Amino acid sequence: MPPTFKHNFTAGPFQGTSTFSTGLFINNEFQDGEGQKTIDVFNPSTEKVIAQIAEASAADVDRAVQAAQKAFETSWGLTVPGNERGKLMMKLADLIERDIDEIAAIESLDNGKAFSVSKNFDVTQAAAVIRYYAGWADKVHGNVIEVNEQQLAYTRHEPIGVVGQIIPWNFPLYMFSWKVGPALATGNTIVLKPSEFTSLSALRVCALIVEAGFPPGVVNVVPGYGKIAGKAISTHMGIEKVAFTGSTVVGQEIMRDAASTNLKKVTLELGGKSPSIVFDDADIEQAVRWAAYGVFFNHGQTCCAGSRIFVQESIYDKFLEGFTKRVKSLQVGDPFHPETFQGPQVSQLQYDRVMGYIEHGKKEGATLHLGGERHGTEGYFIQPTIFTDVTADMKICREEIFGPVGVVKTFKDEHGRQIWIVIFAIFFISGADIIHQANDTFYGLAAAIFSSNISRALKTAHELKAGTVWINCVNQLHASVPFGGFKQSGFGRELGEYALDNYTNIKTVNVNLSRDSPI
């Protein structure tokens, strides 16, 4: 028998027992993995094991691919009209909303994020994304192209087939919706691997996929380790497209795997080291609140976190004072406490990684302005942390920490033109230019600008090398608005109409309407 999750929730809006299977979900059935191997699931708030999930092997992934291929050929794909796919997706979104309190409680228990965030952001937005793409399901079509009176040419946007999807642990169900939404709308079938740290919400929703009436094999969920199940997905000859959200290093490995096998299509949403730029004409109170949200939302475990904060010199002291006060007010603790904003890091591994960066920052000579220590004695909690007196070459300024750690740095102006006198010559150098500083990273996922001068803000936005730029806000994500990166933050777009392009092949059909031929 496959393993089962059973937990009695006593805090928050959902109070009761949640019970569901945590086996591999293949062909609409929960199953044991090969050899009945399991993975322990830890509550990051207590460091205690709360469940086991089935561990997928390469053979299990193969079984899932076979189920998905059969479904694509017989009960999904081109055989089911878009409006019928859309109805099932709408039903799934309704069911997620029906069980929102239970799913949010599972997400908070498994991931550690505040229940208020799980419910009002993660699960709410996951349902919204699936509903958004349900609306697209019967609107994915090609064009008729005028050639001449003797020729009819048109294009078809056809599903690719079986697609592999690998999602991270920071937004488990929300990332699930980003992947399955456009794939299902366009008629593909799915083999999805959630993170081994946070598979519970995806498995709970698998039961809703059955309840909604999806045919067997359309969605298959195979929890497991990246080196085993993830690699099996990226190398499987029966999978013609793979979508991955996670680190840049793993994204590069997936590209190599895809290229070395069947040259499958790849889309990657990878890491970031996003700048937040605060100009001297910004509403400082507004900038303080948004900048704090930019760094510490989701415990800093956000790929687009605004972890590099650049503040114009003339307002630096005032901003830092307000920012410090605001960060100190953030409540860290039990995810089910109504006042909690920041819960624990997701795992011991991530806790150790973040604390390692904090120690590195201190050794490099940065000033630990706030935090930098463990919060409490149980769980993977880290105090919200701010570094000042940082330089661009420091590790904490260049690498993605993926935790509640931000750096605050000054700049002079947009152009930052300085005069240096070297021997008898005068050189005009623009190295302090805020655009240069903000773009001085191999990432390019997002950025934020705070200014009351919309012309200045827009000019700056157009000069930044980032896939998303927020003005006077940060971390605002919507189902209809595309999201993705430049440079080593990946390629392809999630969300919006653009994401549909990731999951279709374009076929051209030419029809000769005359009896003429070239010879």
Side-chain angles (χ1 to χ4, degrees):
M1 290 288 293
T4 299
F5 171 84
K6 185 175 183 179
H7 186 83
N8 184 35
F9 291 92
T10 58
F14 179 74
Q15 297 190 23
T17 301
S18 177
T19 305
F20 57 92
S21 178
T22 55
L24 308 180
F25 183 71
I26 300 174
N27 215 34
N28 273 17
E29 296 179 348
F30 290 97
Q31 308 174 13
D32 280 317
E34 183 183 44
Q36 297 186 327
K37 290 184 178 180
T38 60
I39 299 171
D40 286 340
V41 178
F42 290 83
N43 178 350
S45 296
T46 65
E47 306 175 46
K48 292 180 172 59
V49 175
I50 53 172
Q52 284 80 37
I53 57 173
E55 178 193 339
S57 67
D60 295 320
V61 170
D62 184 62
R63 286 194 296 118
V65 172
Q66 291 180 40
Q69 184 62 44
K70 182 178 179 181
F72 179 75
E73 294 171 356
T74 62
S75 57
W76 201 248
L78 297 174
T79 64
V80 176
N83 65 319
E84 294 299 322
R85 296 197 302 270
K87 287 178 184 178
L88 292 175
M89 294 175 69
M90 287 287 190
K91 178 64 173 176
L92 177 60
D94 291 343
L95 293 173
I96 290 172
E97 289 182 338
R98 182 197 69 186
D99 296 342
I100 189 169
D101 286 337
E102 179 189 359
I103 297 170
I106 292 165
E107 197 80 304
S108 292
L109 186 74
D110 194 19
N111 171 275
K113 65 180 66 191
F115 178 84
S116 59
V117 175
S118 291
K119 179 177 179 178
N120 299 320
F121 182 81
D122 292 61
V123 185
T124 296
Q125 288 302 312
V129 168
I130 292 171
R131 183 170 288 114
Y132 170 81
Y133 283 110
W136 269 110
D138 60 355
K139 301 173 185 66
V140 179
H141 49 70
N143 296 292
V144 174
I145 303 167
E146 182 180 356
V147 179
N148 56 52
E149 289 301 309
Q150 289 73 46
Q151 295 285 324
L152 168 65
Y154 63 93
T155 58
R156 288 165 54 87
H157 291 201
E158 297 183 352
I160 293 170
V162 180
V163 300
Q165 301 177 325
I166 303 171
I167 61 173
W169 44 258
N170 57 335
F171 293 96
L173 189 61
Y174 192 35
M175 292 295 100
F176 178 92
S177 71
W178 281 28
K179 293 293 186 286
V180 303
L184 292 175
T186 48
N188 298 277
T189 54
I190 295 166
V191 177
L192 181 145
K193 190 195 88 66
S195 168
E196 67 273 19
F197 292 119
T198 55
S199 295
L200 295 182
S201 59
L203 293 171
R204 176 65 183 87
V205 169
C206 285
L208 302 184
I209 288 171
V210 177
E211 184 178 349
F214 281 82
V218 172
V219 179
N220 305 274
V221 177
V222 286
Y225 295 108
K227 291 291 185 182
I228 301 171
K231 192 171 186 67
I233 288 173
S234 61
T235 58
H236 200 289
M237 293 295 289
I239 292 176
E240 297 185 55
K241 185 263 184 321
V242 63
F244 170 74
T245 296
S247 73
T248 296
V249 171
V250 176
Q252 291 169 332
E253 185 176 346
I254 286 172
M255 280 195 72
R256 287 191 292 269
D257 287 342
S260 68
T261 52
N262 58 345
L263 206 64
K264 56 176 59 68
K265 299 175 186 292
V266 178
T267 50
L268 302 174
E269 198 267 279
L270 307 176
K273 193 69 175 177
S274 301
S276 290
I277 301 169
V278 185
F279 285 109
D280 57 7
D281 60 359
D283 179 326
I284 293 182
E285 183 179 353
Q286 180 192 48
V288 159
R289 286 178 171 271
W290 279 110
Y293 185 73
V295 179
F296 300 108
F297 172 62
N298 205 49
H299 329 168
Q301 298 172 154
T302 308
C303 54
C304 54
S307 55
R308 292 185 299 145
I309 302 172
F310 297 94
V311 185
Q312 202 152 11
E313 266 185 350
S314 60
I315 62 165
Y316 175 80
D317 290 340
K318 186 175 181 181
F319 174 89
L320 185 61
E321 179 183 0
F323 186 63
T324 305
K325 182 178 179 181
R326 182 62 183 165
V327 174
K328 283 182 176 179
S329 73
L330 300 178
Q331 297 297 307
V332 182
D334 178 6
F336 291 96
H337 191 285
E339 300 300 318
T340 294
F341 175 76
Q342 180 185 313
Q345 308 313 118
V346 75
S347 65
Q348 182 72 57
L349 179 67
Q350 189 62 17
Y351 172 88
D352 292 341
R353 183 175 186 271
V354 175
M355 292 304 293
Y357 272 106
I358 291 172
E359 290 305 309
H360 206 93
K362 291 189 286 188
K363 290 177 182 177
E364 285 185 309
T367 298
L368 180 60
H369 179 76
L370 185 69
E373 302 291 339
R374 179 176 187 146
H375 174 87
T377 58
E378 181 183 56
Y380 310 125
F381 295 91
I382 297 176
Q383 297 172 352
T385 300
I386 303 171
F387 279 100
T388 58
D389 301 314
V390 295
T391 57
D393 60 339
M394 289 181 176
K395 191 173 182 179
I396 57 172
C397 288
R398 301 208 66 80
E399 298 184 13
E400 184 178 42
I401 298 174
F402 225 64
V405 182
V407 302
V408 186
K409 197 174 184 295
T410 63
F411 70 94
K412 292 185 179 296
D413 55 39
E414 294 101 313
H415 305 291
R417 198 168 289 274
Q418 299 178 353
I419 300 176
W420 293 77
I421 303 177
V422 181
I423 308 178
F424 298 106
I426 298 179
F427 296 90
F428 293 90
I429 303 174
S430 59
D433 174 10
I434 184 54
I435 302 302
H436 171 76
Q437 290 192 65
N439 287 336
D440 183 21
T441 171
F442 56 78
Y443 293 114
L445 190 56
I449 300 163
F450 298 92
S451 173
S452 60
N453 184 333
I454 192 62
S455 296
R456 170 194 249 181
L458 288 172
K459 181 178 183 295
T460 304
H462 296 170
E463 293 177 322
L464 293 173
K465 295 179 180 178
T468 294
V469 179
W470 292 291
I471 296 176
N472 294 326
C473 61
V474 67
N475 287 343
Q476 297 299 286
L477 301 167
H478 305 280
S480 57
V481 179
F483 181 83
F486 290 7
K487 299 190 284 186
Q488 292 189 45
S489 287
F491 50 82
R493 289 295 177 267
E494 309 276 1
L495 301 180
E497 182 180 359
Y498 291 86
L500 298 168
D501 295 339
N502 299 336
Y503 293 99
T504 60
N505 285 322
I506 299 175
K507 177 184 288 182
T508 298
V509 179
N510 282 282
V511 183
N512 179 28
L513 301 176
S514 76
R515 295 176 60 85
D516 297 334
S517 64
I519 56 174

